[in-house]
Amino acid sequence: MNRRALLAAVPLLAAMPARVLASAPEIWDRQYDVVVLGSGGAGLAAALSAAARGLTVAVFEKNERIGGDTLNSSGFFNAAGLSGTRDKPIAHAREMIELGEGLNDPELVRIFTENCPGTFKWLQSLGMQFEDKPYKIYGTKEFRSYRPNRPRGTGYIHALGEASLKAGVSIELGCTAVDIYHVPETRQVLGVLIEKDGRSFSVRARRGIVLATGGFGANAEMLRRYAPELSALQHDSTPGATGDGHRLAERAGADLVNMQFVEIVPGGPVSIPYVIRLDIYPDRMVMVNARGERFVDERSDRKTLGEAILAQPGGIAYTITDNETVSSSDILDQKYLHQARHAGVVVRARNWAELAEKLSVPRHALERTLARACAGRTGQTSEGPCRRIVRRAPFWAQKIELHIHVTLGGVRINSKAQVLDKNGVPISGLYAAGEIVGNLHGAVRLGGNGVSSAVVFGRIAGENI
């Protein structure tokens, strides 16, 4: 894969049946020290870290372009404890444990939060650029989310992808992993069978395989099995987030945990092929229902927010913010919001009365709600950000359509990113990072933890394999 092809990277996946082969071929078609399945933030971080140790590495991507769900993300990176902030990794870990409902591994959480600052600086050394001050974003309580200078997740893929190519990593597209070779008695992973363009070839992984295949948000069958109450919702994952790695891992003896937990977030209608969000900054938006009433503290965790939206009459709710907030969004978000406005999906109004008319909500109720918005937020002054929302026109609003954003269940790993069996024993030669991991976030994932956890554990997998 050359640099020109790399810089165009965006993924598209498809489901394939997975089975695990017991017997290895007498002659392997290809051999590498490390094989990485998936080329999002987790996969590329693993590949680069392994290559930095002098290992030969191949990345096989099911899509025709690299990037995975990292490219669909908002791009924020959580890192507590950087200079100039009072937030510390221990506070980051505490918040994760509290929201995880006891379903995340405390040791894994500790490793993750303590490694976030160092991984942030590692990314900077690769050319990633971030804004200096952290944000508090949707689904988190603290100012610990750093926004990249490049829109959304594109910067991560460019930086990690280019560095991987320079380190000699082989990246091959349109490749689906359909089988894993292993030793039945010991479960030691030997290699993988790859299918491309209707042909199959075997790949030996002398040191092991890293599963970085993402979640299963695009797999309707798996959603009906594990989270039937949410299976009718649309998803904003890449089309190929179909749980291929989950099936391969389970057949290899991996322990799958927390599969019933699925995170939902506000989004736009499926009629538009891009993600629109007016709710990224909780202190700078207000959510109202069809009666024009505020119904939730917008600073709540994602689970609380999702449940509150679903509970509204008719399931109808809107996000309202101001032009200053839209103008401060990254350039790609602004582009999508303006496109959505011209498509009639997002509205912009000169005053509250016009906004109420465009949303078809009671005018006086909406005016009362917006006038009181600040009073319901402790610690806000008359000059605070939510005061800006309700008093400075023009206003922007979006009807909320909940989407499946991330599946939280997957393989259980240890602090070295090794995949564990049902007895808690590492499966020799099998590692995992990213959304396929099921024992890090627990029942709820903090906003900003997606990209950071993918890169942190991708890096750990590459360093330990």
Side-chain angles (χ1 to χ4, degrees), residues 35-202:
V35 170
V36 178
L37 303 180
S39 67
L44 293 176
L48 178 56
S49 298
R53 297 168 53 207
L55 303 177
T56 58
V57 183
V59 175
F60 293 101
E61 170 57 57
K62 185 169 63 173
N63 309 320
E64 294 301 328
R65 295 181 181 178
I66 67 172
D69 269 327
T70 299
L71 287 176
N72 280 356
S73 72
S74 60
F76 287 92
F77 190 101
N78 277 355
L82 294 175
S83 59
T85 64
R86 293 183 297 176
D87 191 27
K88 301 299 179 188
I90 191 171
H92 187 183
R94 188 181 302 116
E95 189 175 354
M96 288 181 64
I97 294 294
E98 288 173 357
L99 288 177
E101 298 181 5
L103 298 171
N104 37 13
D105 184 328
E107 177 63 11
L108 214 60
V109 170
R110 182 188 68 80
I111 293 292
F112 164 58
T113 53
E114 290 182 356
N115 274 274
C116 281
T119 300
F120 180 88
K121 294 175 182 177
W122 178 68
L123 287 166
Q124 288 180 312
S125 74
L126 299 177
M128 273 292 294
Q129 295 181 340
F130 297 88
E131 295 182 19
D132 293 334
K133 294 183 178 180
Y135 290 82
K136 178 167 64 175
I137 67 169
Y138 186 89
T140 190
K141 297 178 181 179
E142 298 295 334
F143 289 85
R144 67 168 66 99
S145 304
Y146 290 84
R147 188 168 77 178
N149 285 354
R150 299 191 70 161
R152 300 204 172 181
T154 56
Y156 299 99
I157 303 307
H158 281 251
L160 291 168
E162 284 201 352
S164 294
L165 290 179
K166 289 178 181 177
V169 173
S170 170
I171 301 176
E172 192 162 350
L173 307 177
C175 297
T176 300
V178 293
D179 301 280
I180 286 180
Y181 297 96
H182 77 297
V183 178
E185 295 79 13
T186 63
R187 286 183 176 164
Q188 180 182 1
V189 168
L190 301 175
V192 61
L193 182 67
I194 298 291
E195 184 174 279
K196 180 178 182 179
D197 298 331
R199 297 182 179 181
S200 299
F201 56 92
S202 59

Side-chain angles (χ1 to χ4, degrees), residues 278-351:
L278 287 175
D279 52 58
I280 293 294
Y281 309 108
D283 287 333
R284 300 171 69 172
M285 61 93 171
V286 175
M287 287 183 171
V288 302
N289 58 23
R291 296 191 292 257
E293 301 167 342
R294 186 172 171 229
F295 57 89
V296 70
D297 183 343
E298 294 83 358
R299 300 168 300 181
S300 302
D301 64 85
R302 292 179 173 185
K303 183 173 183 288
T304 299
L305 289 163
E307 290 174 347
I309 293 167
L310 286 173
Q312 296 315 297
I316 297 173
Y318 304 91
T319 301
I320 299 172
T321 189
D322 66 359
N323 198 62
E324 186 173 346
T325 301
V326 171
S327 298
S328 68
S329 300
D330 76 42
I331 190 170
L332 194 57
D333 282 328
Q334 291 185 55
K335 173 187 174 181
Y336 290 159
L337 286 169
H338 282 284
Q339 287 178 341
R341 183 170 70 88
H342 289 295
V345 173
V346 169
V347 303
R348 189 172 71 177
R350 294 166 294 180
N351 50 54

